[in-house]
Amino acid sequence: MTKVFSVNFWETVARLILRNKILILVLVALATIFLGYQWKNMRFTYTEANLLPDEHEVNNTYNAFLEKFGEEGNLIILGVKDSTLFTVEKLNAWNNLSREFGSYEEIETVVSLGNLQKLVKNNKIQRFDIQPFIKDSLASIKQVEILQEELFEKYPFYDNFLFNKKTKTVRTALYLDKAIVNKPARKDFIVDILIPKVRDFEQMHDLDVRVSGMPYIRTLNSQNIIDEIGVFISLALFVTSLIFFFFFRSYRATFISMIVVLIGVAWTFGILGLLKYEITVLTALIPPLIIVIGIPNCIFLINKYQHEVKKHGNKVKSLQRVITKIGNATLMTNVTTASGFATFIITDSKLLTEFGIVASLSILAIFILCLLIIPIIYSFMPHPKDKHLEHLNRRWVNGFVDWMERMVKHHKIAIYITAVILLTASLIGINKIEISGSLIEDMPKKAEFYHDIRFFESEFNGIMPLEIMVDTKRKKGVMKISTLKRMNELQELIEETPELSKPISIVELVKYAKQAYYNGNPKYYQLPTTQENSFILSYVKNSSSDVRLLKNFVDSTGQYARITTFMKDIGTDKMERIEENLQNKINKAFPKDKYEVTMTGKALVFQKGTKYLVNNLVLSLSLAIFLISIFMAYMFRSFRMIVVSLIPNLLPLLITAGLMGYLGVPIKPSTILVFSIAFGISVDDTIHFLAKYRQELQANNWKIRKSVYAALRETGVSMFYTSIVLFFGFSVFTISSFGGTVALGALVSATLLFAMLANLLLLPSLLLSLERSIANKETLKEPNFKIIPEEEDQTKSEV
């Protein structure tokens, strides 16, 4: 009953499409205009990718920190490592540049050599006064030398924050207004003001200024994403159209296909706008993906149309059969591909959920567009000429099909041995895979801002903030000397850790206050004793508000304190060891009944997010396999056929995972996508092959060998065409400047190539070897619906 309904359904669909051509084209045009109007809602992301669910414990800890101390990723750093900086002219110019930045409303605070203050003890009124290191400007080289001596030798508070006394590297800290850190105004300031002013300064004074900090990195990284979208779309169109034309040797077929996928791209952007999703490093991949995935649909439909025309010469009948005979097959293949992407929805990660929703909807949309537009456009066109059908008899294609048939017929043992060797090697390689939770690993290695990140890592031990929040559980508990000593113990461990920068906290300020109390003697840069603490703090309390820097490191109640350090770009394993060492120290130094100490910061959140995604990878991939198995079960109604069909699709995934281990490609957010995407796409070939195989079994009275070879000849060409398009289409992503995108493109391309060979060699071999155990009327029952309906004249259909 279902089978009859399926055939009747597609015949009805074919009649509706071919009898309402103008109406359908008008509806497609209106839908395109509507979705095009939604482009106005598109916006690019201005925040880091949060890979964790919103209510995850790590996110809750981070948000609790932000509530107490505000946005922590608002620091932009300017740095210079050049001995010529310490001349009157250049140092004055450097200080003037810092003051100029301080005049912009987007900048909350500037800390630089030009506005640096020192605490000076005032015994008369028992308070600390502030005095500038530099009054107005420097007038002589002697003043420059005195400034260097004072800074580098007498004031350890500023060492490794504003300068590195060993290398004489100097930097200026610009604190962005926290209100604009995650808004478009951040980009406007950095792109339109900061970068041009720095460039002008470099040219005018012949100094190499390094710029970094999370707002700066995020802005330029987002700009790279924007720039690459156009490149990917253009290159994907060029590569796929070139391959398409090479196969079909038809300008009009190529042009029609390009029009269809471009409309699909427009719909994808419209879906992004309609759902009001941000364009991230992942959603930016979807438009070129739609081109790469949409072209195989065009290949199957146009190839079938030309086969039909060549067979009986009736154009109308050919178009009707394109819809009725390819409709089910292309629907199923697009549903399985969409399912591979849709599995990311269950990860609870906003980034991946949005990617999965938009990608799966776009894939279904491109299927609908192909099924509607291609038959309608061809119905208006003249009968295909002989030159348009020449590719159907191309010798090299027939040669490839002959080679496949020979391999399956005479070299099954060699195919099995090769598969076992690859499987064994892959399992060994999988054990070598590492996990990476680096924020900057995937950033463009050739970009100037990436080299600046490395510069600040070498000079100041990193720019990625790691925050430790101390809750003393009582008001004004931070300033107790016992708390300060415990914090100092933890800071000593941080200073001993090579991957972390010198920590900044209230502890450093209290040490500085003691040094000032003892008339600036650097040997007193240490925590005061219990006796000293009370009267030194009384000096601080009597001081002007400008001296009270406590608000940046202690909350208004005095209950919470923060310790800020910056981290190098390190692997997940190192990060976990550092986190464990710090946690052990925290547990030892801070009794849990008196203190609650938490670690957070963008770097830690990202690392935890990566680990979370890896743990969900198995779930996501398992769901993809489960969903696709259900489709296969519904189509073939045979458990054994499900098992046989999964083998040639799981083996390529294992091979790819093994390659990642051997090549040192870590598991990270970008490479995690590979497996579900590749599995969803590669199973399409299996569906086409098995659908044709089942039809051949019935047509050939259950003669297995004859049916396998016939299915191989019928589907081999289209499978080869589509696999080549997908291989080169995904290879487009390897030109990206983002390491993760490169890895994604290369790994999916490799997986699909392995999958093609597995489906054309291993799958037929398995069917031949298992023979009667899976290919009989009892085991391989009548399907619920015909994926490829029989020819009306009982001749062989072609896919």
Side-chain angles (χ1 to χ4, degrees):
M1 182 68 184
T2 312
K3 175 179 68 177
V4 174
F5 168 78
S6 176
V7 174
N8 291 337
F9 171 77
W10 286 106
E11 288 177 351
T12 304
V13 169
R15 283 196 298 272
L16 285 172
I17 292 173
L18 295 175
R19 290 178 182 178
N20 301 278
K21 294 180 285 190
I22 301 299
L23 175 62
I24 289 172
L25 289 179
V26 169
L27 291 174
V28 168
L30 290 174
T32 305
I33 292 169
F34 170 75
L35 289 170
Y37 183 72
Q38 302 305 314
W39 287 23
K40 63 183 175 61
N41 297 322
M42 285 194 307
R43 62 194 189 281
F44 293 90
T45 182
Y46 292 98
T47 59
E48 283 96 359
N50 192 342
L51 307 175
L52 291 165
D54 290 340
E55 298 303 317
H56 195 278
E57 181 186 358
V58 173
N59 271 339
N60 290 337
T61 301
Y62 183 62
N63 291 332
F65 170 83
L66 294 182
E67 285 178 14
K68 294 290 183 298
F69 295 102
E71 175 63 48
E72 44 102 31
N74 67 327
L75 176 63
I76 297 176
I77 297 292
L78 310 180
V80 174
K81 183 181 182 180
D82 192 324
S83 60
T84 66
L85 176 67
F86 294 97
T87 60
V88 174
E89 180 192 351
K90 290 188 177 182
L91 199 52
N92 279 334
W94 175 253
N95 293 333
N96 289 335
L97 178 68
S98 301
R99 290 191 196 100
E100 197 174 340
F101 280 126
S103 66
Y104 288 96
E105 61 181 12
E106 292 88 351
I107 297 294
E108 192 176 85
T109 310
V110 176
V111 183
S112 69
L113 296 184
N115 64 5
L116 213 55
Q117 310 285 340
K118 52 185 171 184
L119 294 181
V120 179
K121 183 181 179 184
N122 186 331
N123 285 321
K124 288 184 180 180
I125 50 179
Q126 293 191 336
R127 75 174 193 182
F128 292 121
D129 293 331
I130 57 172
Q131 293 180 5
F133 281 89
I134 302 171
K135 294 179 181 178
D136 298 326
S137 61
L138 296 161
S140 66
I141 192 67
K142 182 67 176 174
Q143 287 181 308
V144 175
E145 290 171 354
I146 293 171
L147 175 67
Q148 286 190 78
E149 183 182 351
E150 271 197 312
L151 280 176
F152 296 153
E153 303 300 332
K154 295 183 180 179
Y155 289 92
F157 177 76
Y158 296 110
D159 186 24
N160 276 318
F161 175 58
L162 279 186
F163 58 82
N164 181 333
K165 70 179 183 181
K166 293 180 181 177
T167 63
K168 300 296 188 288
T169 302
V170 173
R171 66 180 184 175
T172 291
L174 308 178
Y175 289 90
L176 269 183
D177 180 358
K178 293 175 182 177
I180 71 163
V181 168
N182 295 319
K183 294 182 179 177
R186 182 197 77 206
K187 178 195 170 188
D188 297 337
F189 172 76
I190 289 173
V191 174
D192 299 333
I193 298 173
L194 177 74
I195 294 176
K197 281 194 172 295
V198 169
R199 294 290 173 266
D200 291 344
F201 177 84
E202 287 180 316
Q203 292 176 2
M204 189 176 297
H205 300 284
D206 192 27
L207 287 170
D208 181 16
V209 180
R210 306 298 187 114
V211 187
S212 198
M214 294 310 297
Y216 179 79
I217 293 169
R218 288 159 58 189
T219 298
L220 296 195
N221 210 37
S222 297
Q223 191 59 48
N224 270 14
I225 294 172
I226 296 168
D227 294 341
E228 286 194 351
I229 292 177
V231 174
F232 284 151
I233 291 174
S234 302
L235 198 56
L237 274 174
F238 174 75
V239 169
T240 53
S241 61
L242 194 66
I243 297 169
F244 191 96
F245 181 77
F246 176 74
F247 286 150
F248 284 89
R249 299 297 171 91
S250 168
Y251 288 107
R252 74 180 185 185
T254 306
F255 181 73
I256 291 168
S257 300
M258 293 304 108
I259 291 295
V260 172
V261 294
L262 279 175
I263 295 173
V265 169
W267 281 29
T268 297
F269 282 124
I271 291 169
L272 277 167
L274 185 65
L275 298 176
K276 293 182 170 58
Y277 289 163
E278 292 180 336
I279 296 180
T280 64
V281 69
L282 289 184
T283 52
L285 299 178
I286 299 175
L289 271 175
I290 292 306
I291 296 173
V292 174
I293 293 171
I295 287 296
N297 286 339
C298 299
I299 288 176
F300 275 109
L301 291 165
I302 294 174
N303 203 33
K304 177 62 180 175
Y305 170 64
Q306 293 180 345
H307 268 293
E308 289 290 339
V309 168
K310 184 181 178 184
K311 182 186 299 181
H312 50 70
N314 187 323
K315 189 177 79 169
V316 175
K317 184 178 180 182
S318 299
L319 291 171
Q320 187 175 14
R321 287 191 173 184
V322 164
I323 300 169
T324 56
K325 297 179 185 305
I326 301 298
N328 261 343
T330 50
L331 174 62
M332 286 299 103
T333 54
N334 280 273
V335 166
T336 54
T337 301
S339 298
F341 285 89
T343 55
F344 296 120
I345 297 171
I346 66 160
T347 59
D348 284 334
S349 164
K350 183 182 177 184
L351 182 78
L352 285 184
T353 298
E354 291 181 358
F355 174 74
I357 290 171
V358 176
S360 52
L361 289 176
S362 298
I363 289 166
L364 295 177
I366 194 68
F367 158 71
I368 293 169
L369 287 171
C370 289
L371 193 66
L372 293 177
I373 295 175
I374 288 178
I376 290 175
I377 290 181
Y378 270 102
S379 71
F380 290 115
M381 288 190 162
H383 195 285
K385 297 177 182 178
D386 291 341
K387 66 178 183 179
H388 297 143
L389 308 178
E390 286 177 0
H391 71 96
L392 299 174
N393 296 317
R394 200 166 294 150
R395 289 183 179 178
W396 68 270
V397 175
N398 293 329
F400 174 72
V401 174
D402 290 340
W403 173 79
M404 289 189 301
E405 189 174 332
R406 284 197 305 273
M407 290 296 296
V408 172
K409 189 178 290 185
H410 303 296
H411 302 287
K412 286 194 294 292
I413 301 300
I415 291 171
Y416 294 146
I417 291 173
T418 303
V420 170
I421 291 172
L422 287 173
L423 177 61
T424 305
S426 299
L427 293 175
I428 296 170
I430 289 171
N431 290 322
K432 300 176 183 290
I433 293 181
E434 296 180 349
I435 299 172
S436 169
S438 166
L439 258 173
I440 67 172
E441 183 181 37
D442 283 342
M443 291 181 182
K445 302 294 188 291
K446 295 180 181 179
E448 187 177 349
F449 74 84
Y450 182 84
H451 295 293
D452 288 350
I453 292 171
R454 294 305 188 195
F455 169 80
F456 284 107
E457 280 189 346
S458 63
E459 295 296 321
F460 297 96
N461 282 17
I463 48 87
M464 292 182 292
L466 177 65
E467 299 280 359
I468 299 171
M469 186 167 72
V470 179
D471 177 5
T472 63
K473 298 185 178 180
R474 58 192 182 279
K475 289 184 177 181
K476 298 183 180 179
V478 171
M479 297 311 295
K480 291 187 177 296
I481 195 66
S482 58
T483 300
L484 295 173
K485 286 181 177 178
R486 295 176 196 279
M487 291 175 65
N488 192 50
E489 279 185 54
L490 180 57
Q491 289 187 194
E492 286 174 354
L493 175 61
I494 293 173
E495 288 196 64
E496 291 169 6
T497 306
E499 294 83 6
L500 299 177
S501 71
K502 177 186 174 182
I504 308 168
S505 74
I506 184 61
V507 172
E508 303 307 309
L509 284 170
V510 173
K511 289 180 181 179
Y512 188 18
K514 179 175 178 178
Q515 180 187 354
Y517 184 81
Y518 288 101
N519 301 313
N521 190 334
K523 77 175 187 178
Y524 288 102
Y525 184 75
Q526 56 189 242
L527 282 177
T529 63
T530 306
Q531 295 171 332
E532 292 170 323
N533 193 45
S534 58
F535 51 81
I536 288 175
L537 286 182
S538 70
Y539 270 69
V540 173
K541 290 174 184 176
N542 293 335
S543 302
S544 66
S545 60
D546 290 334
V547 179
R548 292 179 194 166
L549 303 173
L550 305 186
K551 64 179 181 179
N552 291 322
F553 302 101
V554 182
D555 80 317
S556 58
T557 66
Q559 178 176 332
Y560 296 90
R562 71 190 282 193
I563 300 172
T564 301
T565 181
F566 294 92
M567 189 176 67
K568 287 184 177 180
D569 177 40
I570 54 178
T572 301
D573 291 342
K574 279 187 179 179
M575 181 65 217
E576 287 180 342
R577 284 198 296 272
I578 290 170
E579 184 186 357
E580 185 180 353
N581 291 339
L582 291 175
Q583 192 61 55
N584 289 338
K585 188 67 177 178
I586 289 168
N587 294 339
K588 185 177 178 182
F590 295 89
K592 290 188 176 179
D593 59 328
K594 294 182 180 179
Y595 300 94
E596 184 178 346
V597 183
T598 53
M599 275 184 282
T600 187
K602 292 189 184 298
L604 191 63
V605 170
F606 190 83
Q607 183 255 334
K608 296 288 186 183
T610 300
K611 195 163 185 181
Y612 173 84
L613 285 187
V614 171
N615 293 336
N616 278 268
L617 169 63
V618 176
L619 178 62
S620 175
L621 185 58
S622 299
L623 180 61
I625 294 170
F626 175 72
L627 287 175
I628 290 166
S629 297
I630 289 177
F631 294 143
M632 303 294 275
Y634 186 61
M635 287 186 287
F636 299 111
R637 301 178 66 199
S638 167
F639 176 77
R640 293 176 188 175
M641 284 294 283
I642 294 171
V643 174
V644 169
S645 66
L646 288 179
I647 290 172
N649 290 293
L650 291 177
L651 180 61
L653 299 185
L654 294 172
I655 294 172
T656 299
L659 278 175
M660 290 173 65
Y662 287 120
L663 298 175
V665 178
I667 287 286
K668 50 188 174 182
S670 50
T671 55
I672 282 172
L673 303 174
V674 169
F675 301 98
S676 294
I677 291 174
F679 183 79
I681 296 174
S682 65
V683 80
D684 295 354
D685 284 345
T686 308
I687 290 174
H688 276 288
F689 181 85
L690 290 180
K692 187 62 189 173
Y693 168 65
R694 157 177 272 294
Q695 189 186 70
E696 291 295 337
L697 276 176
Q698 294 171 330
N700 294 307
N701 198 25
W702 300 89
K703 292 178 181 177
I704 294 156
R705 291 184 176 275
K706 186 176 180 181
S707 300
V708 168
Y709 299 141
L712 194 60
R713 285 198 160 274
E714 293 285 353
T715 59
V717 176
S718 288
M719 287 165 66
F720 175 72
Y721 281 6
T722 55
S723 295
I724 294 300
V725 169
L726 289 167
F727 175 81
F728 285 104
F730 275 98
S731 296
V732 163
F733 295 119
T734 59
I735 68 152
S736 173
S737 56
F738 293 91
T741 307
V742 172
L744 174 70
L747 292 171
V748 172
S749 295
T751 308
L752 294 177
L753 193 61
F754 293 136
M756 178 192 74
L757 293 173
N759 278 302
L760 291 176
L761 296 176
L762 182 59
L763 179 58
S765 299
L766 287 170
L767 292 173
L768 287 172
S769 297
L770 297 173
E771 290 201 4
R772 298 292 175 187
S773 64
I774 62 169
N776 56 68
K777 293 181 181 179
E778 289 73 30
T779 304
L780 196 61
K781 300 172 185 176
E782 278 293 304
N784 282 305
F785 57 82
K786 294 289 186 184
I787 303 167
I788 306 176
E790 288 88 350
E791 296 286 351
E792 293 172 9
D793 56 5
Q794 297 301 313
T795 59
K796 294 178 184 176
S797 66
E798 300 179 29
V799 180

